[in-house]
Amino acid sequence: MDLMNGQSSITALATNASEKSSSSESLSDKDSAALKKSFDAVVFDVLMVTPEEYAGQITLMDMPVFKAIQPEELSSCGWNKKEKYSSAPNAVAFTRRFNHVSFWVVREILHAQTLKIRAEVLSHYIKTAKKLYELNNLHALMAVVSGLQSAPIFRLTKTWALLSRKDKTTFEKLEYVVSKEDNYIRLRDYINSLKMTPCIPYLGKRLMISSVLWK
C-alpha cells in the first residue's frame, strides 16, 4: 500500500518554504499572501490546539475508516489493482487519511513565519505523535512521524537544533518503535503485545495484516 502519494506536493511546498540561511526563516511575501488567502477570513493557529486534542480528534476520524475495511480488501491486495476504488475502497480511504495527516504536518511546519515558531510547531507535532502512540493509533503515529522524517522537514537543521532535549529524546524513541528494520519488527511486536487492547494499526506496504483482528 503506497502511503506517500502526497510526496510531490510536499516537495513543491519545500521549494517555496525551504529553510533560509538567516535565522528568521521567513516565508516570502507572495507565499504569506497566498497562505492568508487560503484561510480567507479565518485565522487558525495550530499551536492553539493541544497535542491531546489533536491526537483524540485524529483518532476519532481514523477509527470509522479503519473499521469499514473488509478483510478481502487486504487479502486480495485490492488497493494495488487498477480497479482499487471498487475492489478496496475502504483501504484506499484509509491510505488517503494517512496522506492527509502526513501532508498536514509538513505544511504547518513549513508555513511557520519565523524560526522560533517553526521550532514550536515541530515540537507540537512530536508531542502529538507521542499522544497518538499512547492512544495506540499506530496508523496516525506513522503518518506524523513520516511527515517529520520527510526531506523538507528533516533538512531544517536550525529548526531541529532549537528543540529541547526532551523533545529530541521523545522523537528518537518514536522513530525506534516505527523503524522499518526487519520489516517493522518492533511495531509488529508492539501490536502483538496489546492482545485485546484496541488499536488502529499501520497497514502500509502489506505489513502486519496478519496481526489485525477484525471484529
Side-chain angles (χ1 to χ4, degrees):
M1 186 186 295
D2 181 8
L3 296 181
M4 296 306 293
N5 294 333
Q7 190 63 46
S8 59
S9 297
I10 290 173
T11 301
L13 267 178
T15 301
N16 292 327
S18 59
E19 189 163 38
K20 309 298 183 182
S21 57
S22 64
S23 60
S24 65
E25 291 186 307
S26 298
L27 295 176
S28 68
D29 292 340
K30 181 179 179 180
D31 292 329
S32 180
L35 175 61
K36 291 177 181 177
K37 183 177 179 181
S38 69
F39 285 112
D40 203 7
V42 179
V43 177
F44 175 71
D45 183 353
V46 69
L47 297 175
M48 294 298 291
V49 181
T50 67
E52 291 85 356
E53 289 174 315
Y54 275 135
Q57 292 302 312
I58 291 170
T59 300
L60 285 174
M61 290 187 285
D62 282 346
M63 181 57 75
V65 183
F66 168 64
K67 291 179 68 175
I69 301 175
Q70 300 302 307
E72 56 269 19
E73 292 185 50
L74 301 179
S75 61
S76 66
C77 295
W79 69 86
N80 280 329
K81 298 178 179 179
K82 185 176 181 180
E83 64 278 7
K84 63 182 180 180
Y85 293 104
S86 58
S87 62
N90 301 301
V92 171
F94 201 51
T95 298
R96 190 177 296 115
R97 282 287 309 147
F98 183 103
N99 289 332
H100 285 172
V101 171
S102 187
F103 180 75
W104 168 61
V105 170
V106 174
R107 181 185 185 278
E108 291 298 333
I109 294 173
L110 293 181
H111 276 158
Q113 298 294 302
T114 67
L115 173 59
K116 181 178 182 294
I117 295 176
R118 183 170 290 178
E120 290 175 356
V121 175
L122 176 59
S123 171
H124 209 61
Y125 281 120
I126 291 175
K127 293 181 175 69
T128 299
K130 181 175 182 290
K131 294 300 179 181
L132 288 166
Y133 177 65
E134 293 171 354
L135 288 174
N136 291 324
N137 186 346
L138 306 180
H139 176 262
L141 167 64
M142 181 67 78
V144 173
V145 172
S146 294
L148 297 177
Q149 290 176 327
S150 66
I153 304 304
F154 180 76
R155 71 186 184 189
L156 301 176
T157 54
K158 289 184 288 186
T159 302
W160 286 94
L162 289 182
L163 288 180
S164 68
R165 180 176 299 180
K166 181 178 180 181
D167 283 340
K168 290 178 181 178
T169 299
T170 297
F171 185 62
E172 288 171 358
K173 290 180 178 178
L174 295 175
E175 280 189 310
Y176 179 82
V177 171
V178 302
S179 169
K180 297 179 181 180
E181 184 178 347
D182 294 330
N183 192 27
Y184 297 85
I185 182 63
R186 299 187 192 101
L187 199 53
R188 289 188 286 114
D189 286 346
Y190 179 72
I191 285 183
N192 290 332
S193 73
L194 294 176
K195 299 186 183 300
M196 297 304 294
T197 304
C199 81
I200 302 179
Y202 172 61
L203 300 179
K205 296 187 183 298
R206 302 185 292 277
L207 302 176
M208 302 178 292
I209 292 173
S210 61
S211 301
V212 179
L213 294 176
W214 300 95
K215 298 181 180 181

